[in-house]
Amino acid sequence: MAYTPFPPTTNENPSIAVSNDGNTWITPPGLANPIDPTPIPNNNADACLFMTSDDLTMWCFYADS
């Protein structure tokens, strides 16, 4: 899941979490959230995940506002 927490946590910058059961969510091992630091003076919002058609690569797109 890609999400953009609303302040005061990370100023609405994209983060990624994973779950095996849909109830317990964690940051994937080796990843630090938010995935992109806050651009001054704005934020990065509206994150979406997309999987390539070969199921080998996942992309995270978000708005730089």
Side-chain angles (χ1 to χ4, degrees):
M1 155 178 70
Y3 62 100
T4 50
F6 194 71
T9 48
T10 58
N11 295 325
E12 202 176 1
N13 286 301
S15 296
I16 294 177
V18 295
S19 176
N20 288 324
D21 61 12
N23 291 312
T24 304
W25 294 87
I26 63 168
T27 300
L31 185 72
N33 283 318
I35 60 171
D36 196 2
T38 305
I40 306 289
N42 298 316
N43 58 43
N44 299 308
D46 305 328
C48 294
L49 292 174
F50 294 92
M51 182 64 85
T52 58
S53 60
D54 61 7
D55 290 332
L56 296 176
T57 305
M58 183 176 288
W59 290 86
C60 183
F61 291 91
Y62 49 88
D64 178 9
S65 55

